[in-house]
């Protein structure tokens, strides 16, 4: 199957055939090779501090009834935000500053 590039603004676009069943909005990283361009799918980056899936998995595994899942999820998410704020405040108020070298030694680098 052959497709053609098209100009769109200042860019050139390339159509992905429908048969490939690539959903809309998928992120890819183009890599220029000697004989063409290779597009590699990129996994969406998960927000490091978003524990929503973990919280929900715990609630489901604990057997909450459907009618209470959303309320329990909201409660735990709020507790998590509050806990992070407390940890940050304790760290700022009760910890000694550390140099980069000390941190590297502490974590084994």
């Amino acid at each position: 199957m052959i497709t053609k590039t098209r100009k769109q603004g200042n860019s050139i676009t390339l159509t992905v055939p429908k048969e490939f069943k690539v959903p809309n909005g998928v992120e890819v990283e183009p890599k220029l090779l000697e004989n063409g361009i290779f597009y590699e799918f990129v996994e969406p980056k998960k927000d490091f501090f978003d524990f929503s899936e973990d919280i929900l998995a715990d609630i489901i595994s604990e057997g909450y009834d459907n009618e209470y899942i959303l309320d329990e999820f909201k409660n735990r998410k709020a507790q998590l935000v509050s806990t992070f704020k407390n940890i940050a405040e304790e760290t700022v108020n009760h910890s000694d500053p550390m140099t980069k070298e000390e941190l590297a030694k502490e974590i084994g680098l």
Side-chain angles (χ1 to χ4, degrees):
M1 159 185 336
I2 296 177
T3 63
K4 287 186 178 182
T5 59
R6 289 189 302 253
K7 185 164 178 59
Q8 183 174 350
N10 291 330
S11 299
I12 299 292
T13 63
L14 183 63
T15 302
V16 176
K18 179 178 167 182
E19 295 80 32
F20 288 9
K21 297 181 180 172
V22 176
N24 187 34
V26 172
E27 292 185 9
V28 296
E29 180 180 356
K31 296 180 180 183
L32 187 58
L33 305 176
E34 188 175 310
N35 62 340
I37 301 172
F38 174 73
Y39 287 90
E40 184 173 23
F41 291 116
V42 177
E43 289 291 323
K45 292 182 181 171
K46 184 181 178 200
D47 180 4
F48 181 78
F49 291 105
D50 182 6
F51 296 98
S52 299
E53 291 177 17
D54 302 304
I55 294 169
L56 191 54
D58 286 347
I59 292 169
I60 291 170
S61 72
E62 292 169 16
Y64 276 80
D65 290 332
N66 288 345
E67 59 196 62
Y68 300 111
I69 289 176
L70 184 58
D71 289 336
E72 184 62 20
F73 176 82
K74 288 177 183 178
N75 288 338
R76 291 188 189 190
K77 189 120 182 188
Q79 288 174 353
L80 193 62
V81 170
S82 174
T83 300
F84 275 129
K85 286 181 181 176
N86 290 340
I87 290 171
E89 286 175 12
E90 278 185 33
T91 302
V92 168
N93 295 328
H94 303 290
S95 296
D96 294 328
M98 187 180 281
T99 66
K100 283 174 60 176
E101 291 78 18
E102 291 170 329
L103 175 61
K105 183 178 178 183
E106 182 76 22
I107 61 175
L109 294 179

